[in-house]
Amino acid sequence: AWLGLIVARPLVNRVGGLEAAPIQTAVIYTLLVLGGALLFFRLAGNLLETLSRRALPAAVSVGISVIGLGFIGGVIGYFLGIGFAHGILGIVYNPELADLLAPRTAIIGAVMLAAIFGTQAYRIGPRGEVTTGQLLYGAVRTVLNIVRSIEPLIWALIGIIWVGPGPFAGFIALTVHTVAALGKLYSEAIESIDPGPIEALQATGANRLQTIVYAVVPQVLPPFIAFTIYRWDINVRLSTIIGLVGGGGIGFLLIQWIRQFQYANAGIAVWLITITVAALDFVSAEIRERFV
């Protein structure tokens, strides 16, 4: 994580830093810091596994696993806490408050992730298999849970501060919240599939790609379509509410007409919103009938 932070700083300075390019900065820090931490964790895990099988007692191996993984979680949580203070609090409030709260949020993040990683290391044990996919799954699910817990209206306000009032701010708010919500729904749909077809294809000698195409995709496609259409309906309704806070679209025009006492225009806007929702409901019903 420390080496990833060193490499990320010059790249972030080239794109303009947090104020000029917040999305690019978040992507660079996430890939380099978390990616580097995952890589070194795998190397350390292989070394610990070799030592535990040859020389170290089981209790000592468990202790090393808990301390080592807890230390990695603490480092990652420390940097994430600093990023939260400067990336969220610094934008929503002011940079001075972010500088004041950064040490506290860093310590809170370090303690939380150290406890989570240490507990997971104790459950798995020194000889348990910890794959990169499991680590990425846990990290992504944690990020999605945090993002999903923030209401779209709050994301709209953050988007307005980032890019100014307009449709792009509303687009950012709906996109961020939709990705987090659909990520949870998609993952649960994949986890609940029937393992029977997968085992049958694997018994016939099918490779991993063939197993995914012919055993996994047919099972997850109907719920994926249903969840996507359901989220589409939600976003159509939320777009009006987000427009009320400056997110652009017909909701912004609606609140402007109401404030200017142009009730005839406001009534037309309400009818247009109703017709749009009814049309989308009809289209979504047709799509469900064909695929679900």
Side-chain angles (χ1 to χ4, degrees):
W2 177 67
L3 293 177
L5 185 63
I6 293 177
V7 177
R9 284 177 178 173
L11 296 178
V12 168
N13 293 332
R14 290 185 180 181
V15 300
L18 181 63
E19 296 181 355
I23 298 178
Q24 294 89 332
T25 300
V27 171
I28 290 174
Y29 272 119
T30 301
L31 291 179
L32 293 180
V33 175
L34 294 183
L38 289 174
L39 175 62
F40 280 103
F41 169 72
R42 290 303 305 273
L43 296 176
N46 293 334
L47 177 61
L48 179 61
E49 182 181 3
T50 302
L51 293 176
S52 63
R53 288 179 177 178
R54 295 183 179 180
L56 296 178
V60 177
S61 300
V62 172
I64 294 177
S65 300
V66 172
I67 295 173
L69 194 56
F71 176 77
I72 293 176
V75 172
I76 298 175
Y78 183 84
F79 289 126
L80 290 179
I82 295 177
F84 174 78
H86 291 282
I88 302 298
L89 300 180
I91 295 177
V92 176
Y93 298 104
N94 54 69
E96 290 77 11
L97 180 62
D99 293 335
L100 180 62
L101 296 179
R104 302 179 183 178
T105 56
I107 293 176
I108 293 174
V111 172
M112 290 178 60
L113 280 189
I116 294 173
F117 279 42
T119 304
Q120 188 68 15
Y122 179 78
R123 292 176 55 188
I124 295 174
R127 299 183 182 181
E129 182 181 1
V130 181
T131 63
T132 304
Q134 291 174 341
L135 295 174
L136 289 176
Y137 176 82
V140 171
R141 283 295 294 266
T142 302
V143 173
L144 293 181
N145 289 334
I146 296 174
V147 173
R148 192 177 64 255
S149 64
I150 302 175
E151 291 295 326
L153 283 176
I154 307 300
W155 283 117
L157 295 175
I158 296 175
I160 291 172
I161 297 173
W162 278 350
V163 300
F168 188 53
F171 168 78
I172 291 176
L174 291 178
T175 300
V176 171
H177 198 270
T178 299
V179 169
L182 289 181
K184 178 179 183 298
L185 296 175
Y186 287 170
S187 64
E188 291 181 350
I190 296 174
E191 292 171 355
S192 60
I193 62 176
D194 184 11
I198 299 177
E199 296 174 355
L201 278 177
Q202 290 176 345
T204 61
N207 57 32
R208 177 170 295 184
L209 179 60
Q210 292 172 335
T211 303
I212 293 174
V213 171
Y214 296 105
V216 177
V217 173
Q219 296 189 68
V220 300
L221 187 60
F224 275 22
I225 295 175
F227 292 146
T228 303
I229 294 175
Y230 174 66
R231 189 64 200 186
W232 184 26
D233 292 339
I234 293 176
N235 286 345
V236 171
R237 293 168 177 84
L238 282 178
S239 61
T240 304
I241 306 300
I242 287 179
L244 300 180
V245 298
I250 195 171
F252 180 76
L253 297 176
L254 177 62
I255 193 63
Q256 290 292 99
W257 287 330
I258 293 176
R259 290 174 178 174
Q260 297 172 5
F261 303 103
Q262 299 181 11
Y263 295 119
N265 295 337
I268 294 175
V270 172
W271 275 110
L272 288 176
I273 294 171
T274 304
I275 293 172
T276 302
V277 172
L280 290 178
D281 184 70
F282 174 77
V283 173
S284 62
E286 292 292 328
I287 296 175
R288 288 192 190 95
E289 185 178 354
R290 290 187 180 184
F291 294 98
V292 182

